[in-house]
Amino acid sequence: PEEYNPYGVDPTKPMIALTFDDGPSKHTWAIVDALKSHNARATFFVLGNRVPSYQAAIDNLLANHNEIGSHSMGHANLAKLTTEEEIAAQIRPVDEALQKQHAYTPKLFRVPYGSKNDQVLAVLKAEGKPYIGWSVDPRDWDVKDKNKVVNHVLANVKDGDIILMHDIYPSSVDAALEIVDTLQAQGYWFVTVEELLALNGVAAEPGVLYHVIG
Ligand code: ZN
């Protein structure tokens, strides 16, 4: 079969995945446009209860070949929920909303707060969702400082990393754009998590955690 590489990534170069949690927000459109102008893509782990308010931003995101992952309906701490049904109720409606409104089903899931237990992983497995973690965390939500975020990422990044950020803070938007500028000049490609997995020959399994690829 033909290899998966729809956007002409040079596989001899380092690849990383920017990921943005807790959106969409009023800042998502600006990130997507900036990524587009750099031939870069990212993955947005959205909250289902925000999807109806940002339909145009989501359409723009998908039209420019970014990826949507699920980050639950309402950012519940899934490890604190009691039953499998309660956990599934944080997962299924996100897929249903995206399918109904955008003809799109997210393949990947990121657990809110990184909080999981055996029951959470069992439900993710049953729902067919690999669990995507991260390998670089600039704590953008905490520092809210563009330079600190940029410096943390530049000091820690390597081929195959998944970078955790949030598209709900202006400082994070500015940081992401500077990170793309700087690392592209060093030869990095910015790909979706799906691309990062596929270009490294990894078939992600439901209920399994991935935090760095390759
Ligand atoms: Zn989150």
Side-chain angles (χ1 to χ4, degrees):
E2 194 172 324
E3 279 190 30
Y4 177 94
N5 190 359
Y7 308 114
V9 174
D10 180 349
T12 68
K13 301 287 193 199
M15 290 177 280
I16 51 178
L18 283 181
T19 64
F20 297 99
D21 288 10
D22 297 358
S25 85
K26 62 184 178 180
H27 305 298
T28 303
W29 194 290
I31 291 189
V32 168
D33 278 357
L35 291 169
K36 178 185 181 183
S37 72
H38 285 73
N39 190 29
R41 291 167 302 286
T43 304
F44 295 78
F45 287 94
V46 304
L47 294 175
N49 63 16
R50 299 180 72 101
V51 165
S53 302
Y54 295 97
Q55 304 236 15
I58 289 173
D59 285 336
N60 183 47
L61 187 166
L62 291 172
N64 288 295
H65 313 298
N66 297 282
E67 181 172 16
I68 295 178
S70 174
H71 194 42
S72 81
M73 272 309 280
H75 216 274
N77 186 331
L78 301 186
K80 290 192 172 170
L81 298 180
T82 306
T83 67
E84 293 192 352
E85 287 70 29
E86 287 175 300
I87 297 168
Q90 282 287 326
I91 299 172
R92 289 178 192 159
V94 185
D95 290 10
E96 289 163 6
L98 287 166
Q99 183 59 44
K100 185 173 176 212
Q101 293 158 7
H102 304 279
Y104 183 92
T105 301
K107 294 185 177 73
L108 308 174
F109 193 87
R110 175 170 280 162
V111 175
Y113 311 106
S115 176
K116 66 181 192 304
N117 56 21
D118 288 347
Q119 183 171 247
V120 171
L121 292 177
V123 174
L124 287 175
K125 185 174 182 181
E127 298 295 322
K129 301 290 195 219
Y131 169 18
I132 303 302
W134 55 85
S135 51
V136 177
D137 179 6
R139 296 181 63 84
D140 62 325
W141 58 271
D142 184 20
V143 299
K144 293 194 185 75
D145 180 299
K146 183 195 81 164
N147 291 332
K148 283 182 181 166
V149 171
V150 170
N151 291 341
H152 180 97
V153 171
L154 297 184
N156 290 282
V157 72
K158 64 182 183 306
D159 187 19
D161 271 331
I162 298 173
I163 299 170
L164 172 61
M165 297 181 73
H166 299 79
D167 54 329
I168 56 175
Y169 307 110
S171 52
S172 299
V173 175
D174 294 342
L177 305 185
E178 188 166 327
I179 288 164
V180 170
D181 264 340
T182 304
L183 290 180
Q184 277 191 333
Q186 297 177 19
Y188 279 86
W189 280 78
F190 286 82
V191 298
T192 64
V193 175
E194 182 180 23
E195 285 181 273
L196 191 63
L197 289 161
L199 292 167
N200 281 287
V202 178
E205 294 176 33
V208 176
L209 169 63
Y210 299 85
H211 52 79
V212 61
I213 311 295

